[in-house]
Amino acid sequence: MNEHKVYEHEVTEHGVTERPVSETSLQRRLRAPWRGLGLWLRSIPATFVGLWFAAVVTLVGGFVGILLFPSATMALRRQLDGYREKIERWTGHPIERPYLPEPAREPGVKGSVRRSLALARDPATWRDYLWVLADPFVALFTAALPALLIGYGLWGYAVAAFAGKLITNYGGNDWYAYVHVTDGYGHDTGRIASTLVVATLLIAAGFLLGPAMMRVYGRWGRSVLGPTEKSRLALRVRHLTESRSDAVDASAAELRRIERDLHDGAQARLVAMGMSLGAIEHLLDKDPEKARTLLAQTRESSAKALHELRDLVRGIHPPVLADRGIGDAVKALALDHPLQVEVVAELPARPEPPVESAAYFAVSEVLTNAAKHSGASRVWVDMRHERGMLRITVTDDGRGGASLDGGTGLRGIERRIGTFDGVLALNSPVGGPTIVTLELPCALSSPKTSPS
């Protein structure tokens, strides 16, 4: 049987990870009709939100409509964001969020007018409106059709068993498909057999057509709810502009850090060593014992300076990362971490060095945050490469409640990996656990270096 991969969350001894689950062709056919019916039913509340949006649009010529238009638009977007997620999960058609950058909130009437105009100029706003108007009918004849066929087939079994008599007793003559249900239907074996055959064929057709109808519906969803070429290009330009700015800022900050560390650490020690050597030169003849003491202190200072330089180099690009890859580098981090950290790395080869470096420092920052803020005792790190992504999940058993706006450095991590089109997802309910997931698109380049 053909297998279809879906992904679900799994709680293991290494924390919470997303694992691939094989869905056979039979399972897909059995589930598709009911998933399609669920998508159709989900279109009903979206339609009500769309009607509210339409009512607001009719008022846009007035002051009230201008004030309400942004909130109505955002309500519709929130509703359809959930719809996109369901369509992607059940049809296998990923749908990107299509909206142009949202305008900033500004106080006053002028701010509301500018925000309304900006939202109205976004083509995705009107494509959302088209969706909520057309989707109940499109879904009825695509995603929901297999479930309706199955339901009508089950009704055929009921007609053959007992409902045929009820129809003739209370409603006179009626039809089931092409079979005429008459007063003598209950005694007509041929018509009952025809009803059962038609009902069975309808049920079989519903299950056979289910996956195909879901694929058709997924393409419809992606064509209307996904971005146009214009909006995709605008989003890409915005993302590249932000990531370039973040990369420049991060590089400047890193250079300042290196300069500060050199100035305050190794450089100060080297200057002190030079002064000590000058003093020793003058004391060699006058006070050899004191010169010997100063030499011992200078030797200790040189060892400390060397140690600080090694730490500085390790902070720029750790030797273990360059030599053995991100898996072993994160395991080395775990050995020096104050919490109990368990690392599982399933990487058959190494990512490109820039991606590997960004991922390493992102994990290092997440582990530092866990030690400082989470109150956890254990941390699990799971690293794997799947679907063209380097996927890293860091889970701790702390108290939770972390947020991207909580000042924990997660925004900095997000900006760091954003330079490589990476994304950060945070799940941290109050009471824990906290799950930080990093995804960076990359190819595995060179074979993984084995331990010597």
Side-chain angles (χ1 to χ4, degrees):
M1 266 184 198
N2 294 330
E3 290 189 346
H4 173 71
K5 294 282 180 136
V6 295
Y7 288 80
E8 65 180 27
H9 288 95
E10 177 188 30
V11 180
T12 69
E13 61 179 354
H14 306 306
V16 181
T17 61
E18 191 180 72
R19 64 183 180 91
V21 180
S22 296
E23 191 178 58
T24 65
S25 176
L26 176 60
Q27 290 173 325
R28 207 159 62 248
R29 292 190 187 282
L30 292 175
R31 294 169 182 170
W34 317 119
R35 290 172 174 173
L37 183 62
L39 288 171
W40 178 60
L41 293 174
R42 193 180 178 93
S43 70
I44 296 173
T47 300
F48 282 113
V49 176
L51 291 174
W52 164 243
F53 176 81
V56 170
V57 169
T58 62
L59 300 173
V60 162
F63 178 72
V64 174
I66 292 174
L67 291 180
L68 292 178
F69 185 79
S71 62
T73 302
M74 302 314 293
L76 185 59
R77 291 183 178 187
R78 285 192 297 271
Q79 187 74 29
L80 294 185
D81 281 341
Y83 216 106
R84 289 184 186 91
E85 182 184 351
K86 280 290 185 190
I87 293 174
E88 179 176 349
R89 187 187 309 170
W90 284 350
T91 70
H93 286 76
I95 302 177
E96 301 174 55
R97 206 167 186 266
Y99 307 114
L100 296 176
E102 295 175 7
R105 296 179 181 273
E106 299 178 27
V109 177
K110 289 184 178 180
S112 297
V113 171
R114 278 194 289 267
R115 185 172 169 80
S116 296
L117 289 175
L119 292 172
R121 282 195 292 264
D122 189 345
T125 299
W126 306 106
R127 289 160 67 86
D128 285 352
Y129 184 41
L130 169 65
W131 171 269
V132 295
L133 291 179
D135 183 63
F137 304 101
V138 176
L140 182 64
F141 292 102
T142 54
L145 181 61
L148 298 179
L149 291 176
I150 294 170
Y152 194 54
L154 295 175
W155 169 244
Y157 284 132
V159 167
F162 62 88
K165 296 179 181 178
L166 296 177
I167 291 172
T168 55
N169 289 338
Y170 295 99
N173 297 331
D174 204 350
W175 293 83
Y176 177 76
Y178 67 86
V179 181
H180 194 199
V181 181
T182 64
D183 291 338
Y185 176 83
H187 305 288
D188 193 330
T189 305
R191 291 188 184 183
I192 292 176
S194 297
T195 301
L196 291 174
V197 169
V198 172
T200 302
L201 290 175
L202 288 171
I203 292 174
F207 283 114
L208 290 173
L209 288 174
M213 290 294 100
M214 289 293 282
R215 286 194 294 271
V216 171
Y217 184 74
R219 286 194 288 271
W220 149 255
R222 187 166 59 185
S223 65
V224 179
L225 291 181
T228 61
E229 287 303 317
K230 178 182 176 182
S231 60
R232 183 181 282 111
L233 181 61
L235 290 171
R236 181 65 178 163
V237 169
R238 176 175 179 256
H239 174 74
L240 289 175
T241 301
E242 291 179 349
S243 61
R244 182 185 63 184
S245 176
D246 290 338
V248 171
D249 292 344
S251 297
E254 190 71 7
L255 287 173
R256 288 194 299 272
R257 181 188 70 82
I258 294 170
E259 182 182 13
R260 184 178 63 250
D261 289 348
L262 282 172
H263 183 271
D264 296 342
Q267 180 179 334
R269 291 190 184 280
L270 290 173
V271 170
M273 286 169 57
M275 296 174 65
S276 296
L277 289 172
I280 291 169
E281 187 178 1
H282 290 292
L283 290 172
L284 278 175
D285 296 329
K286 299 179 182 178
D287 193 346
E289 189 64 30
K290 190 170 182 180
R292 190 177 295 109
T293 303
L294 282 176
L295 277 173
Q297 293 175 355
T298 304
R299 186 173 62 250
E300 290 178 6
S301 294
S302 68
K304 290 179 180 179
L306 180 61
H307 181 72
E308 288 175 354
L309 286 172
R310 285 175 175 169
D311 287 343
L312 184 62
V313 171
R314 192 177 296 115
I316 298 171
H317 195 82
V320 66
L321 178 62
D323 296 341
R324 305 181 60 128
I326 187 171
D328 289 334
V330 172
K331 289 177 181 176
L333 272 180
L335 292 175
D336 294 332
H337 201 267
L339 304 180
Q340 183 179 351
V341 181
E342 184 174 344
V343 180
V344 175
E346 297 180 3
L347 300 173
R350 292 181 58 174
E352 294 293 335
V355 174
E356 199 172 46
S357 178
Y360 170 83
F361 286 108
V363 173
S364 175
E365 180 68 20
V366 173
L367 291 176
T368 301
N369 286 340
K372 288 182 178 179
H373 307 291
S374 70
S377 59
R378 298 186 67 189
V379 182
W380 298 267
V381 181
D382 181 85
M383 292 185 289
R384 61 188 70 225
H385 186 269
E386 53 191 26
R387 294 180 289 174
M389 294 277 185
L390 173 62
R391 181 182 179 85
I392 304 175
T393 304
V394 183
T395 306
D396 68 59
D397 61 356
R399 54 179 169 265
S403 72
L404 290 173
D405 301 319
T408 58
L410 293 175
R411 283 292 183 195
I413 299 172
E414 189 176 44
R415 288 192 295 271
R416 178 190 288 271
I417 65 175
T419 308
F420 300 90
D421 278 347
V423 295
L424 180 149
L426 174 67
N427 181 16
S428 183
V430 176
T434 294
I435 306 169
V436 180
T437 303
L438 311 172
E439 283 191 348
L440 291 92
C442 69
L444 299 184
S445 56
S446 58
K448 185 178 179 182
T449 306
S450 58
S452 57

